[in-house]
Amino acid sequence: MGIGTLHNYIDGEWRVSGATESMPVMNPATTEELGQVPVSPATEVDRAATAASVAQQEWRRVPPQERIQYLFKLKSLLERDFESLAETITIECGKTLKESKGELQRAIENVEVACGIPTLMQGYNLEDIAQGIDEIMIRQPVGVAAVIAPFNFPAMIPFWFMPYALACGNTYIVKPSEKVPLTMEKVFHLLEETGLPKGVVNLVHGAKETVDAILDHPQIRAISFVGSSPVARYIYSRAAEQGKRVQCQGGAKNPIIVLPDADLEMTTRIVADSAFGCAGQRCLAASIALTVGSVRDNFREAIATTATERKVGFGLDEGIQMGPVITQNSQQRIHGIIDRGTQEGAELLIDGRNPSIPGYEKGYFVRPTILDGVNAGSAIAGTEIFGPVLGLMHVDSLDEAISLINQSPWGNMACLFTSSGGSARKFRYEVEAGNIGINIGVAAPMAFFPFSGWKESFFGDLHGQGRHAVEFFTQTKVVIERWPKTWSRQF
């Protein structure tokens, strides 16, 4: 599938980067090189930002109901090329084809929600705040915005932001992950096909140098990011120092609580999908399962059996349930975390290291792994693994489980499995996390709800998706006006 060096898309044209350095894009299952991604210098970010700034002056004047016509067309094109895009996600990212299709569907749902911008972007008004004086609040676009996207969802995550930004009258720059740039390259060919005016959308490939240029550029007014918490903190600090709007989704250590009254068969299946789906490379992947009371032994046996039976391989092959992790460095990092867990006293119930996958022996595979008896005070209990590793802990009560969750610096997701409405309400009311699941293993909000996150899992005020995205990509203007009768003309 080698495609050579990728191009940037700036001011309505595909352009060869002047980068002096490029990086290989690899298929993590086969280790085949798929192409080279340029490390675009700051000058190319400047070209994109300048083009976007010029285009925004006209784009903001296009009526919202006309702006969304481009999104309607984009939705149709995404659906037309659905199978091809999903295959590209699997080839460069490693997830199964089913997972890639699910990701792409979530991207399309965000386009659908953004098409409601003529309603979502409306302000409000009040007559006679004083006699003869009216007050109006309107929303106007922020200007040029950009996303710095992660590797784990190359299609979906840029669409948490981009459709809303465009619909609200902003212009946009996408910096895809250098590990998975091919999907967004294909998406931009579709954006070009919609006929969007030049400069409205721009694609700049690169790595840290490119990111820093985006963060520092004075014409880029809003930054969206998803990735690890240390990088999220860095991006938030650097961009905010420049006076930009910033929303940074960080890491997580997502706990799942299993009560004795949970449906064990359903719970086991859902927890396995949460922990091992996408090879554990989701910001909402379950990382710790806390069993409460008598369910401990039964759940441990059931989840171990399910983990052992999971079929691992290349995501385009029939019947595969889990693919590789993204790089060899990730594979080695996960191995090291598993080692640390056993050194801290956890029992290696299922060891997924160094598997031999027939036909894909060089791939970056880690089979599902389970560490039992993880100590609440251990390093691994607070480490985001970002791989198919589930830790098991045991507590005696729901109160103890909630206390452990709330002591964590993370606050992305927490889930409870139970048949008790009272327990469920207590859990959702008291747990300090932004996304809560009740008998749900991956509490991923639909496109019309914000993708929430608390504590060290999020830096900013407004999240991606839905009304939060509309708020983020608009600034409010309040108009107070008086028209004295003596100024009126008679006709």
Side-chain angles (χ1 to χ4, degrees), residues 300-374:
R300 180 175 66 173
E301 180 180 345
I303 195 67
T305 299
T306 302
T308 303
E309 294 173 347
R310 204 163 192 88
K311 192 171 181 181
V312 178
F314 182 27
L316 292 183
D317 291 345
E318 189 70 28
I320 295 301
Q321 297 172 292
M322 193 184 89
V325 297
I326 190 66
T327 64
Q328 187 176 39
N329 285 342
S330 292
Q331 182 189 50
Q332 293 172 347
R333 178 186 55 78
I334 293 164
H335 288 178
I337 292 173
I338 295 169
D339 286 338
R340 189 194 317 166
T342 59
Q343 292 166 8
E344 292 178 336
E347 175 192 352
L348 191 55
L349 192 62
I350 304 293
D351 187 356
R353 292 172 295 181
N354 302 311
S356 179
I357 308 299
Y360 304 104
E361 288 79 7
K362 293 182 179 180
Y364 311 133
F365 292 95
V366 180
R367 285 192 56 85
T369 297
I370 298 178
L371 289 164
D372 188 26
V374 172

Side-chain angles (χ1 to χ4, degrees), residues 9-13 15 47-48 51-52 54-55 197-203:
Y9 185 77
I10 298 174
D11 201 19
E13 295 181 7
R15 300 170 184 254
R47 289 193 197 108
V54 171
K198 68 177 187 177
V200 171
V201 290
N202 302 271
L203 175 70

Side-chain angles (χ1 to χ4, degrees), residues 184-486:
M184 204 44 53
E185 181 107 348
K186 283 194 169 186
V187 167
F188 264 73
H189 280 287
L190 300 185
L191 285 163
E192 186 178 33
E193 199 172 333
T194 66
L196 275 165
K198 68 177 187 177
V200 171
V201 290
N202 302 271
L203 175 70
V204 182
H205 294 292
K208 186 178 185 299
E209 177 186 351
T210 318
V211 169
D212 286 344
I214 290 171
L215 300 180
D216 294 342
H217 201 285
Q219 290 176 300
I220 300 174
R221 302 308 309 148
I223 302 288
S224 303
F225 170 81
V226 178
S228 70
S229 283
V231 180
R233 184 185 291 277
Y234 168 79
I235 286 176
Y236 182 78
S237 300
R238 184 159 178 164
E241 187 177 21
Q242 303 294 328
K244 304 182 192 300
R245 290 192 173 193
V246 198
Q247 48 183 186
C248 292
Q249 192 78 36
K253 189 70 177 178
N254 303 309
I256 283 181
I257 315 304
V258 184
L259 295 185
D261 60 2
D263 181 318
L264 187 61
E265 180 181 353
M266 177 193 73
T267 300
T268 303
R269 172 175 48 80
I270 293 175
V271 172
D273 288 342
S274 177
F276 309 131
C278 299
Q281 297 173 128
R282 286 188 292 218
C283 54
L284 292 182
S287 186
I288 288 284
L290 288 84
T291 53
V292 178
S294 60
V295 76
R296 177 181 186 176
D297 292 341
N298 288 340
F299 177 76
R300 180 175 66 173
E301 180 180 345
I303 195 67
T305 299
T306 302
T308 303
E309 294 173 347
R310 204 163 192 88
K311 192 171 181 181
V312 178
F314 182 27
L316 292 183
D317 291 345
E318 189 70 28
I320 295 301
Q321 297 172 292
M322 193 184 89
V325 297
I326 190 66
T327 64
Q328 187 176 39
N329 285 342
S330 292
Q331 182 189 50
Q332 293 172 347
R333 178 186 55 78
I334 293 164
H335 288 178
I337 292 173
I338 295 169
D339 286 338
R340 189 194 317 166
T342 59
Q343 292 166 8
E344 292 178 336
E347 175 192 352
L348 191 55
L349 192 62
I350 304 293
D351 187 356
R353 292 172 295 181
N354 302 311
S356 179
I357 308 299
Y360 304 104
E361 288 79 7
K362 293 182 179 180
Y364 311 133
F365 292 95
V366 180
R367 285 192 56 85
T369 297
I370 298 178
L371 289 164
D372 188 26
V374 172
N375 188 299
S378 64
I380 193 173
T383 300
E384 183 182 32
I385 300 173
F386 226 63
V389 180
L390 179 67
L392 302 183
M393 297 172 61
H394 182 70
V395 294
D396 294 325
S397 67
L398 178 58
D399 283 331
E400 186 180 350
I402 292 173
S403 177
L404 280 175
I405 293 171
N406 290 348
Q407 290 171 26
S408 169
W410 310 101
N412 208 29
M413 182 190 84
C415 298
L416 176 71
F417 287 84
T418 183
S419 59
S420 166
S423 297
R425 188 182 188 283
K426 175 182 177 66
F427 184 81
R428 77 181 191 195
Y429 189 84
E430 295 183 9
V431 165
E432 296 172 4
N435 300 291
I436 300 295
I438 304 297
N439 297 319
I440 298 289
V442 180
M446 296 296 289
F448 28 84
F449 286 90
F451 190 97
S452 200
W454 288 16
K455 300 193 284 189
E456 295 289 318
S457 294
F458 183 74
F459 300 88
D461 298 303
L462 295 166
H463 301 81
Q465 300 195 146
R467 291 185 181 275
H468 272 217
V470 177
E471 293 275 355
F472 183 79
F473 290 114
T474 59
Q475 49 196 346
T476 57
K477 179 179 285 185
V478 176
V479 180
I480 306 170
E481 58 184 21
R482 171 194 281 129
W483 295 102
K485 293 179 180 179
T486 56

Side-chain angles (χ1 to χ4, degrees), residues 23-28 34 37 85-86 88-96 99-100 103 147-158 160-161 174-184 206 211 224-229 231 235 249-251 277-285 323-331 333-334 364 384-388:
M23 305 170 69
V25 182
M26 309 294 289
N27 179 327
L34 304 172
V37 60
L85 286 165
T88 300
I89 294 169
T90 292
I91 289 168
E92 69 173 347
C93 185
K95 61 183 64 174
T96 68
E99 290 167 341
S100 296
E103 170 185 349
V147 62
I148 300 162
F151 76 83
N152 57 333
F153 287 93
M156 181 185 73
I157 288 178
W160 283 358
F161 314 108
V174 176
K175 205 300 285 183
S177 167
E178 62 275 18
K179 297 181 177 71
V180 291
L182 304 182
T183 301
M184 204 44 53
V211 169
S224 303
F225 170 81
V226 178
S228 70
S229 283
V231 180
I235 286 176
Q249 192 78 36
C278 299
Q281 297 173 128
R282 286 188 292 218
C283 54
L284 292 182
V325 297
I326 190 66
T327 64
Q328 187 176 39
N329 285 342
S330 292
Q331 182 189 50
R333 178 186 55 78
I334 293 164
Y364 311 133
E384 183 182 32
I385 300 173
F386 226 63

Side-chain angles (χ1 to χ4, degrees), residues 483-491:
W483 295 102
K485 293 179 180 179
T486 56
W487 293 359
S488 64
R489 298 178 60 185
Q490 300 297 319
F491 294 97

